[in-house]
Amino acid sequence: MSILLQALVFFLISLSTALVVGIPVVLASPGQWERLKNLIFGSAAAWSVLVILIGVFSSFVR
């Protein structure tokens, strides 16, 4: 169970880094927002799910 929690935290950190770098780039590029907004919203939803999953799994790991 501990390895699963560590993997989830790794994916959360990776996704957070990608979003912190990617969102300003997409917003600064002309015409990219319309093309990539579904990807950004999906990534934000995945980030939210990861935060909730980490909270649930951390209550089981001691």
CSV table of all heavy atoms in Angstrom, one decimal:
chain,number,residue,atom,x,y,z
A,1,MET,N,0.8,-1.2,0.0
A,1,MET,CA,0.0,0.0,0.0
A,1,MET,C,0.9,1.3,0.0
A,1,MET,O,0.5,2.3,-0.6
A,1,MET,CB,-0.9,0.0,1.2
A,1,MET,CG,-2.0,0.9,1.2
A,1,MET,SD,-3.3,0.6,-0.1
A,1,MET,CE,-4.6,0.0,0.9
A,2,SER,N,2.0,1.2,0.7
A,2,SER,CA,2.9,2.3,0.7
A,2,SER,C,3.5,2.6,-0.7
A,2,SER,O,3.6,3.8,-1.0
A,2,SER,CB,4.1,2.0,1.7
A,2,SER,OG,5.0,3.0,1.7
A,3,ILE,N,3.8,1.6,-1.5
A,3,ILE,CA,4.3,1.9,-2.8
A,3,ILE,C,3.2,2.6,-3.7
A,3,ILE,O,3.6,3.5,-4.5
A,3,ILE,CB,4.8,0.6,-3.4
A,3,ILE,CG1,6.0,0.0,-2.6
A,3,ILE,CG2,5.1,0.7,-4.9
A,3,ILE,CD1,6.4,-1.3,-3.0
A,4,LEU,N,2.0,2.2,-3.5
A,4,LEU,CA,0.9,2.8,-4.3
A,4,LEU,C,0.8,4.3,-3.9
A,4,LEU,O,0.6,5.2,-4.8
A,4,LEU,CB,-0.4,2.1,-4.0
A,4,LEU,CG,-1.6,2.7,-4.7
A,4,LEU,CD1,-1.5,2.6,-6.2
A,4,LEU,CD2,-2.9,1.9,-4.3
A,5,LEU,N,0.9,4.6,-2.6
A,5,LEU,CA,0.8,6.0,-2.2
A,5,LEU,C,2.0,6.8,-2.7
A,5,LEU,O,1.8,7.9,-3.2
A,5,LEU,CB,0.8,6.0,-0.6
A,5,LEU,CG,0.7,7.4,0.0
A,5,LEU,CD1,-0.6,8.1,-0.4
A,5,LEU,CD2,0.8,7.4,1.5
A,6,GLN,N,3.2,6.2,-2.7
A,6,GLN,CA,4.3,6.9,-3.3
A,6,GLN,C,4.2,7.1,-4.8
A,6,GLN,O,4.6,8.2,-5.3
A,6,GLN,CB,5.6,6.1,-3.0
A,6,GLN,CG,6.0,6.1,-1.5
A,6,GLN,CD,7.2,5.2,-1.3
A,6,GLN,OE1,7.7,4.5,-2.1
A,6,GLN,NE2,7.6,5.2,0.0
A,7,ALA,N,3.6,6.2,-5.5
A,7,ALA,CA,3.4,6.4,-6.9
A,7,ALA,C,2.4,7.5,-7.2
A,7,ALA,O,2.5,8.3,-8.1
A,7,ALA,CB,2.9,5.0,-7.5
A,8,LEU,N,1.3,7.5,-6.4
A,8,LEU,CA,0.3,8.6,-6.5
A,8,LEU,C,0.9,9.9,-6.3
A,8,LEU,O,0.6,10.9,-7.0
A,8,LEU,CB,-0.9,8.3,-5.6
A,8,LEU,CG,-1.8,7.2,-6.0
A,8,LEU,CD1,-2.8,6.9,-4.9
A,8,LEU,CD2,-2.5,7.4,-7.3
A,9,VAL,N,1.7,10.0,-5.2
A,9,VAL,CA,2.4,11.3,-4.9
A,9,VAL,C,3.3,11.7,-6.1
A,9,VAL,O,3.4,12.9,-6.4
A,9,VAL,CB,3.1,11.3,-3.6
A,9,VAL,CG1,4.0,12.5,-3.3
A,9,VAL,CG2,2.1,11.1,-2.4
A,10,PHE,N,4.1,10.7,-6.6
A,10,PHE,CA,4.9,11.0,-7.7
A,10,PHE,C,4.1,11.6,-8.9
A,10,PHE,O,4.5,12.6,-9.6
A,10,PHE,CB,5.7,9.8,-8.1
A,10,PHE,CG,6.5,10.0,-9.4
A,10,PHE,CD1,7.7,10.7,-9.3
A,10,PHE,CD2,6.1,9.5,-10.6
A,10,PHE,CE1,8.5,10.9,-10.5
A,10,PHE,CE2,6.9,9.6,-11.7
A,10,PHE,CZ,8.0,10.3,-11.7
A,11,PHE,N,3.0,10.9,-9.2
A,11,PHE,CA,2.2,11.4,-10.4
A,11,PHE,C,1.6,12.8,-10.1
A,11,PHE,O,1.5,13.6,-11.0
A,11,PHE,CB,1.1,10.4,-10.7
A,11,PHE,CG,1.6,9.1,-11.3
A,11,PHE,CD1,1.2,7.9,-10.8
A,11,PHE,CD2,2.5,9.2,-12.4
A,11,PHE,CE1,1.6,6.7,-11.4
A,11,PHE,CE2,3.0,8.0,-12.9
A,11,PHE,CZ,2.5,6.8,-12.5
A,12,LEU,N,1.2,13.0,-8.8
A,12,LEU,CA,0.7,14.4,-8.5
A,12,LEU,C,1.8,15.4,-8.6
A,12,LEU,O,1.5,16.5,-9.2
A,12,LEU,CB,0.2,14.4,-7.0
A,12,LEU,CG,-0.3,15.7,-6.5
A,12,LEU,CD1,-1.6,16.0,-7.2
A,12,LEU,CD2,-0.5,15.7,-5.0
A,13,ILE,N,3.0,15.2,-8.2
A,13,ILE,CA,4.1,16.1,-8.4
A,13,ILE,C,4.4,16.3,-9.8
A,13,ILE,O,4.6,17.5,-10.3
A,13,ILE,CB,5.3,15.7,-7.6
A,13,ILE,CG1,5.0,15.7,-6.1
A,13,ILE,CG2,6.5,16.5,-7.9
A,13,ILE,CD1,6.1,15.1,-5.2
A,14,SER,N,4.4,15.3,-10.6
A,14,SER,CA,4.7,15.4,-12.0
A,14,SER,C,3.6,16.2,-12.8
A,14,SER,O,3.9,17.1,-13.6
A,14,SER,CB,4.8,14.0,-12.7
A,14,SER,OG,5.8,13.3,-12.1
A,15,LEU,N,2.4,15.9,-12.5
A,15,LEU,CA,1.3,16.6,-13.1
A,15,LEU,C,1.2,18.1,-12.6
A,15,LEU,O,1.0,19.0,-13.5
A,15,LEU,CB,-0.1,15.9,-12.8
A,15,LEU,CG,-1.3,16.5,-13.4
A,15,LEU,CD1,-1.2,16.5,-14.9
A,15,LEU,CD2,-2.5,15.7,-13.0
A,16,SER,N,1.5,18.3,-11.4
A,16,SER,CA,1.6,19.7,-10.9
A,16,SER,C,2.6,20.5,-11.6
A,16,SER,O,2.4,21.7,-12.0
A,16,SER,CB,1.9,19.7,-9.4
A,16,SER,OG,0.8,19.1,-8.7
A,17,THR,N,3.8,19.9,-11.8
A,17,THR,CA,4.9,20.6,-12.5
A,17,THR,C,4.5,20.9,-14.0
A,17,THR,O,4.7,22.0,-14.5
A,17,THR,CB,6.2,19.7,-12.5
A,17,THR,OG1,6.5,19.5,-11.1
A,17,THR,CG2,7.3,20.5,-13.2
A,18,ALA,N,3.9,19.9,-14.6
A,18,ALA,CA,3.5,20.1,-16.0
A,18,ALA,C,2.4,21.2,-16.1
A,18,ALA,O,2.4,22.0,-17.0
A,18,ALA,CB,2.9,18.8,-16.6
A,19,LEU,N,1.5,21.2,-15.1
A,19,LEU,CA,0.4,22.3,-15.2
A,19,LEU,C,1.0,23.7,-14.9
A,19,LEU,O,0.6,24.6,-15.5
A,19,LEU,CB,-0.7,21.9,-14.2
A,19,LEU,CG,-1.6,20.8,-14.6
A,19,LEU,CD1,-2.5,20.4,-13.5
A,19,LEU,CD2,-2.4,21.1,-15.9
A,20,VAL,N,1.9,23.7,-13.9
A,20,VAL,CA,2.5,25.0,-13.6
A,20,VAL,C,3.3,25.6,-14.8
A,20,VAL,O,3.3,26.8,-15.0
A,20,VAL,CB,3.4,24.9,-12.3
A,20,VAL,CG1,4.4,26.1,-12.2
A,20,VAL,CG2,2.6,24.7,-11.1
A,21,VAL,N,4.0,24.8,-15.5
A,21,VAL,CA,4.7,25.2,-16.7
A,21,VAL,C,3.8,25.4,-17.9
A,21,VAL,O,3.9,26.3,-18.7
A,21,VAL,CB,5.9,24.2,-17.0
A,21,VAL,CG1,6.5,24.6,-18.3
A,21,VAL,CG2,6.9,24.2,-15.9
A,22,GLY,N,2.9,24.4,-18.1
A,22,GLY,CA,2.1,24.4,-19.3
A,22,GLY,C,1.0,25.4,-19.4
A,22,GLY,O,0.8,25.9,-20.5
A,23,ILE,N,0.3,25.7,-18.4
A,23,ILE,CA,-0.8,26.6,-18.4
A,23,ILE,C,-0.4,28.0,-18.8
A,23,ILE,O,-1.0,28.6,-19.8
A,23,ILE,CB,-1.6,26.6,-17.1
A,23,ILE,CG1,-2.4,25.3,-17.0
A,23,ILE,CG2,-2.6,27.7,-17.1
A,23,ILE,CD1,-3.1,25.1,-15.7
A,24,PRO,N,0.6,28.6,-18.3
A,24,PRO,CA,1.0,29.9,-18.7
A,24,PRO,C,1.5,29.9,-20.2
A,24,PRO,O,1.3,30.9,-20.9
A,24,PRO,CB,2.2,30.3,-17.8
A,24,PRO,CG,2.0,29.5,-16.6
A,24,PRO,CD,1.4,28.2,-17.0
A,25,VAL,N,2.1,28.9,-20.6
A,25,VAL,CA,2.6,28.8,-22.0
A,25,VAL,C,1.4,28.8,-22.9
A,25,VAL,O,1.4,29.5,-24.0
A,25,VAL,CB,3.5,27.6,-22.2
A,25,VAL,CG1,3.8,27.3,-23.7
A,25,VAL,CG2,4.8,27.7,-21.5
A,26,VAL,N,0.4,28.0,-22.6
A,26,VAL,CA,-0.8,27.9,-23.4
A,26,VAL,C,-1.5,29.2,-23.4
A,26,VAL,O,-2.0,29.7,-24.5
A,26,VAL,CB,-1.7,26.7,-22.9
A,26,VAL,CG1,-3.1,26.8,-23.6
A,26,VAL,CG2,-1.1,25.4,-23.2
A,27,LEU,N,-1.7,29.9,-22.3
A,27,LEU,CA,-2.4,31.1,-22.3
A,27,LEU,C,-1.6,32.3,-23.0
A,27,LEU,O,-2.2,33.2,-23.5
A,27,LEU,CB,-2.6,31.5,-20.8
A,27,LEU,CG,-3.6,30.7,-20.1
A,27,LEU,CD1,-3.7,31.1,-18.6
A,27,LEU,CD2,-5.0,30.7,-20.7
A,28,ALA,N,-0.3,32.2,-23.0
A,28,ALA,CA,0.5,33.2,-23.7
A,28,ALA,C,0.6,33.0,-25.2
A,28,ALA,O,0.9,33.9,-25.9
A,28,ALA,CB,1.9,33.3,-23.1
A,29,SER,N,0.3,31.8,-25.7
A,29,SER,CA,0.4,31.5,-27.1
A,29,SER,C,-0.9,31.9,-27.8
A,29,SER,O,-2.0,31.4,-27.4
A,29,SER,CB,0.7,30.0,-27.3
A,29,SER,OG,1.9,29.7,-26.7
A,30,PRO,N,-0.8,32.6,-28.8
A,30,PRO,CA,-2.1,33.0,-29.5
A,30,PRO,C,-2.8,31.8,-30.2
A,30,PRO,O,-2.2,31.0,-30.9
A,30,PRO,CB,-1.6,34.0,-30.6
A,30,PRO,CG,-0.2,34.0,-30.6
A,30,PRO,CD,0.3,33.2,-29.4
A,31,GLY,N,-4.1,31.7,-29.9
A,31,GLY,CA,-4.9,30.6,-30.5
A,31,GLY,C,-4.8,29.3,-29.8
A,31,GLY,O,-5.5,28.3,-30.2
A,32,GLN,N,-3.9,29.1,-28.9
A,32,GLN,CA,-3.7,27.8,-28.3
A,32,GLN,C,-4.7,27.4,-27.2
A,32,GLN,O,-5.0,26.3,-27.0
A,32,GLN,CB,-2.3,27.7,-27.7
A,32,GLN,CG,-1.2,27.7,-28.7
A,32,GLN,CD,-1.3,26.6,-29.7
A,32,GLN,OE1,-1.5,25.4,-29.3
A,32,GLN,NE2,-1.1,26.9,-30.9
A,33,TRP,N,-5.3,28.4,-26.6
A,33,TRP,CA,-6.3,28.2,-25.6
A,33,TRP,C,-7.5,27.4,-26.1
A,33,TRP,O,-8.0,26.5,-25.5
A,33,TRP,CB,-6.8,29.5,-24.9
A,33,TRP,CG,-7.9,29.3,-24.0
A,33,TRP,CD1,-9.2,29.7,-24.1
A,33,TRP,CD2,-7.9,28.5,-22.7
A,33,TRP,NE1,-10.0,29.3,-23.1
A,33,TRP,CE2,-9.2,28.6,-22.2
A,33,TRP,CE3,-6.9,27.8,-22.0
A,33,TRP,CZ2,-9.6,27.9,-21.0
A,33,TRP,CZ3,-7.3,27.2,-20.8
A,33,TRP,CH2,-8.6,27.3,-20.3
A,34,GLU,N,-8.0,27.9,-27.3
A,34,GLU,CA,-9.2,27.2,-27.9
A,34,GLU,C,-8.8,25.8,-28.3
A,34,GLU,O,-9.7,24.9,-28.2
A,34,GLU,CB,-9.6,28.0,-29.1
A,34,GLU,CG,-10.3,29.3,-28.8
A,34,GLU,CD,-9.2,30.4,-28.6
A,34,GLU,OE1,-8.1,30.2,-29.0
A,34,GLU,OE2,-9.6,31.4,-28.0
A,35,ARG,N,-7.6,25.5,-28.7
A,35,ARG,CA,-7.2,24.2,-29.1
A,35,ARG,C,-7.0,23.2,-27.9
A,35,ARG,O,-7.3,22.0,-28.0
A,35,ARG,CB,-6.0,24.3,-30.0
A,35,ARG,CG,-5.6,23.0,-30.7
A,35,ARG,CD,-4.5,23.3,-31.7
A,35,ARG,NE,-3.2,23.5,-31.1
A,35,ARG,CZ,-2.4,22.5,-30.8
A,35,ARG,NH1,-2.7,21.3,-31.0
A,35,ARG,NH2,-1.2,22.8,-30.2
A,36,LEU,N,-6.4,23.8,-26.8
A,36,LEU,CA,-6.0,22.9,-25.7
A,36,LEU,C,-6.8,23.0,-24.4
A,36,LEU,O,-6.4,22.4,-23.4
A,36,LEU,CB,-4.5,23.2,-25.4
A,36,LEU,CG,-3.5,22.9,-26.6
A,36,LEU,CD1,-2.1,23.3,-26.2
A,36,LEU,CD2,-3.5,21.4,-26.9
A,37,LYS,N,-7.9,23.8,-24.4
A,37,LYS,CA,-8.6,23.9,-23.2
A,37,LYS,C,-9.2,22.7,-22.6
A,37,LYS,O,-9.2,22.5,-21.4
A,37,LYS,CB,-9.7,25.0,-23.3
A,37,LYS,CG,-10.8,24.7,-24.1
A,37,LYS,CD,-11.8,25.9,-24.1
A,37,LYS,CE,-13.0,25.6,-25.0
A,37,LYS,NZ,-13.9,26.8,-25.0
A,38,ASN,N,-9.6,21.7,-23.5
A,38,ASN,CA,-10.1,20.5,-23.0
A,38,ASN,C,-9.0,19.6,-22.3
A,38,ASN,O,-9.3,19.0,-21.3
A,38,ASN,CB,-10.8,19.6,-24.1
A,38,ASN,CG,-12.1,20.2,-24.6
A,38,ASN,OD1,-12.7,20.9,-23.8
A,38,ASN,ND2,-12.4,20.0,-25.8
A,39,LEU,N,-7.8,19.7,-22.8
A,39,LEU,CA,-6.7,19.0,-22.2
A,39,LEU,C,-6.4,19.6,-20.9
A,39,LEU,O,-6.1,18.9,-19.9
A,39,LEU,CB,-5.5,19.1,-23.1
A,39,LEU,CG,-4.2,18.4,-22.6
A,39,LEU,CD1,-4.4,16.9,-22.4
A,39,LEU,CD2,-3.0,18.7,-23.5
A,40,ILE,N,-6.4,20.9,-20.8
A,40,ILE,CA,-6.1,21.6,-19.5
A,40,ILE,C,-7.2,21.3,-18.5
A,40,ILE,O,-6.9,21.0,-17.3
A,40,ILE,CB,-5.9,23.1,-19.7
A,40,ILE,CG1,-4.7,23.3,-20.5
A,40,ILE,CG2,-5.9,23.8,-18.4
A,40,ILE,CD1,-4.4,24.8,-20.9
A,41,PHE,N,-8.4,21.3,-18.9
A,41,PHE,CA,-9.5,21.0,-17.9
A,41,PHE,C,-9.4,19.6,-17.5
A,41,PHE,O,-9.7,19.2,-16.3
A,41,PHE,CB,-10.9,21.3,-18.5
A,41,PHE,CG,-11.2,22.8,-18.6
A,41,PHE,CD1,-11.8,23.3,-19.7
A,41,PHE,CD2,-10.8,23.7,-17.6
A,41,PHE,CE1,-12.1,24.7,-19.8
A,41,PHE,CE2,-11.0,25.1,-17.7
A,41,PHE,CZ,-11.7,25.6,-18.8
A,42,GLY,N,-9.1,18.7,-18.4
A,42,GLY,CA,-9.0,17.3,-18.0
A,42,GLY,C,-7.8,17.0,-17.1
A,42,GLY,O,-7.9,16.2,-16.2
A,43,SER,N,-6.7,17.7,-17.3
A,43,SER,CA,-5.6,17.6,-16.4
A,43,SER,C,-5.9,18.2,-15.1
A,43,SER,O,-5.4,17.6,-14.0
A,43,SER,CB,-4.4,18.4,-17.0
A,43,SER,OG,-4.0,17.8,-18.3
A,44,ALA,N,-6.6,19.3,-15.0
A,44,ALA,CA,-7.0,19.8,-13.7
A,44,ALA,C,-7.9,18.9,-13.0
A,44,ALA,O,-7.8,18.7,-11.7
A,44,ALA,CB,-7.7,21.2,-13.9
A,45,ALA,N,-8.8,18.2,-13.7
A,45,ALA,CA,-9.7,17.2,-13.1
A,45,ALA,C,-8.9,16.0,-12.6
A,45,ALA,O,-9.1,15.5,-11.5
A,45,ALA,CB,-10.8,16.7,-14.1
A,46,ALA,N,-7.9,15.6,-13.3
A,46,ALA,CA,-7.0,14.5,-12.9
A,46,ALA,C,-6.2,14.9,-11.7
A,46,ALA,O,-6.1,14.1,-10.8
A,46,ALA,CB,-6.1,14.1,-14.0
A,47,TRP,N,-5.8,16.1,-11.6
A,47,TRP,CA,-5.1,16.6,-10.4
A,47,TRP,C,-6.0,16.6,-9.2
A,47,TRP,O,-5.5,16.1,-8.1
A,47,TRP,CB,-4.6,18.0,-10.7
A,47,TRP,CG,-3.7,18.6,-9.6
A,47,TRP,CD1,-2.4,18.5,-9.6
A,47,TRP,CD2,-4.1,19.3,-8.5
A,47,TRP,NE1,-1.9,19.2,-8.4
A,47,TRP,CE2,-3.0,19.7,-7.8
A,47,TRP,CE3,-5.4,19.7,-8.0
A,47,TRP,CZ2,-3.0,20.4,-6.6
A,47,TRP,CZ3,-5.4,20.5,-6.8
A,47,TRP,CH2,-4.3,20.8,-6.1
A,48,SER,N,-7.2,17.0,-9.4
A,48,SER,CA,-8.2,17.0,-8.2
A,48,SER,C,-8.4,15.5,-7.8
A,48,SER,O,-8.5,15.3,-6.5
A,48,SER,CB,-9.5,17.6,-8.6
A,48,SER,OG,-9.3,18.9,-9.0
A,49,VAL,N,-8.6,14.6,-8.7
A,49,VAL,CA,-8.8,13.2,-8.3
A,49,VAL,C,-7.6,12.6,-7.6
A,49,VAL,O,-7.7,11.9,-6.6
A,49,VAL,CB,-9.2,12.4,-9.6
A,49,VAL,CG1,-9.1,10.9,-9.3
A,49,VAL,CG2,-10.5,12.8,-10.1
A,50,LEU,N,-6.4,13.0,-8.1
A,50,LEU,CA,-5.2,12.5,-7.4
A,50,LEU,C,-5.1,13.0,-6.0
A,50,LEU,O,-4.7,12.3,-5.1
A,50,LEU,CB,-3.9,12.9,-8.2
A,50,LEU,CG,-3.6,12.0,-9.3
A,50,LEU,CD1,-2.4,12.7,-10.1
A,50,LEU,CD2,-3.2,10.7,-8.9
A,51,VAL,N,-5.5,14.3,-5.8
A,51,VAL,CA,-5.4,14.8,-4.4
A,51,VAL,C,-6.4,14.1,-3.5
A,51,VAL,O,-6.0,13.7,-2.3
A,51,VAL,CB,-5.7,16.3,-4.4
A,51,VAL,CG1,-6.0,16.9,-3.0
A,51,VAL,CG2,-4.6,17.1,-5.1
A,52,ILE,N,-7.6,13.8,-4.0
A,52,ILE,CA,-8.5,13.0,-3.2
A,52,ILE,C,-8.1,11.6,-2.9
A,52,ILE,O,-8.2,11.1,-1.8
A,52,ILE,CB,-9.9,13.1,-3.8
A,52,ILE,CG1,-10.5,14.5,-3.8
A,52,ILE,CG2,-10.9,12.1,-3.2
A,52,ILE,CD1,-11.7,14.7,-4.7
A,53,LEU,N,-7.5,11.0,-4.0
A,53,LEU,CA,-7.0,9.6,-3.8
A,53,LEU,C,-5.9,9.5,-2.8
A,53,LEU,O,-5.8,8.6,-2.0
A,53,LEU,CB,-6.6,9.0,-5.1
A,53,LEU,CG,-7.7,8.5,-6.1
A,53,LEU,CD1,-7.1,8.1,-7.4
A,53,LEU,CD2,-8.5,7.4,-5.4
A,54,ILE,N,-5.0,10.5,-2.8
A,54,ILE,CA,-3.9,10.5,-1.9
A,54,ILE,C,-4.4,10.7,-0.5
A,54,ILE,O,-3.9,10.0,0.5
A,54,ILE,CB,-2.9,11.6,-2.3
A,54,ILE,CG1,-2.1,11.2,-3.5
A,54,ILE,CG2,-1.9,11.8,-1.1
A,54,ILE,CD1,-1.3,12.2,-4.1
A,55,GLY,N,-5.4,11.5,-0.3
A,55,GLY,CA,-6.0,11.7,1.0
A,55,GLY,C,-6.6,10.4,1.5
A,55,GLY,O,-6.5,10.1,2.7
A,56,VAL,N,-7.3,9.7,0.7
A,56,VAL,CA,-8.0,8.5,1.1
A,56,VAL,C,-6.9,7.4,1.4
A,56,VAL,O,-7.0,6.7,2.4
A,56,VAL,CB,-9.0,8.0,0.0
A,56,VAL,CG1,-9.4,6.6,0.3
A,56,VAL,CG2,-10.1,8.9,-0.1
A,57,PHE,N,-6.0,7.2,0.5
A,57,PHE,CA,-5.0,6.2,0.7
A,57,PHE,C,-4.0,6.5,1.9
A,57,PHE,O,-3.6,5.6,2.5
A,57,PHE,CB,-4.1,5.9,-0.5
A,57,PHE,CG,-4.8,5.1,-1.6
A,57,PHE,CD1,-5.0,5.5,-2.9
A,57,PHE,CD2,-5.3,3.8,-1.3
A,57,PHE,CE1,-5.6,4.8,-3.8
A,57,PHE,CE2,-5.9,3.0,-2.2
A,57,PHE,CZ,-6.1,3.5,-3.5
A,58,SER,N,-3.8,7.7,2.2
A,58,SER,CA,-2.9,8.1,3.3
A,58,SER,C,-3.6,7.7,4.6
A,58,SER,O,-2.8,7.5,5.6
A,58,SER,CB,-2.5,9.5,3.3
A,58,SER,OG,-3.6,10.3,3.6
A,59,SER,N,-4.9,7.6,4.7
A,59,SER,CA,-5.5,7.2,5.9
A,59,SER,C,-5.3,5.7,6.2
A,59,SER,O,-5.5,5.3,7.3
A,59,SER,CB,-7.0,7.6,5.9
A,59,SER,OG,-7.7,6.8,4.9
A,60,PHE,N,-5.0,4.9,5.2
A,60,PHE,CA,-4.8,3.5,5.4
A,60,PHE,C,-3.3,3.1,5.6
A,60,PHE,O,-3.1,2.0,6.1
A,60,PHE,CB,-5.3,2.7,4.1
A,60,PHE,CG,-6.8,2.8,3.9
A,60,PHE,CD1,-7.3,3.5,2.8
A,60,PHE,CD2,-7.7,2.3,4.9
A,60,PHE,CE1,-8.7,3.6,2.6
A,60,PHE,CE2,-9.0,2.4,4.7
A,60,PHE,CZ,-9.5,3.0,3.6
A,61,VAL,N,-2.4,4.0,5.3
A,61,VAL,CA,-1.0,3.7,5.4
A,61,VAL,C,-0.5,4.3,6.8
A,61,VAL,O,-0.8,5.4,7.1
A,61,VAL,CB,-0.2,4.4,4.3
A,61,VAL,CG1,1.3,4.1,4.5
A,61,VAL,CG2,-0.6,3.8,3.0
A,62,ARG,N,0.2,3.4,7.5
A,62,ARG,CA,0.8,3.9,8.8
A,62,ARG,C,2.2,3.8,8.8
A,62,ARG,O,2.9,3.0,8.2
A,62,ARG,CB,0.2,3.1,9.9
A,62,ARG,CG,-1.3,3.4,10.1
A,62,ARG,CD,-1.8,2.7,11.3
A,62,ARG,NE,-3.2,3.0,11.4
A,62,ARG,CZ,-3.8,3.4,12.5
A,62,ARG,NH1,-3.1,3.6,13.6
A,62,ARG,NH2,-5.0,3.7,12.5
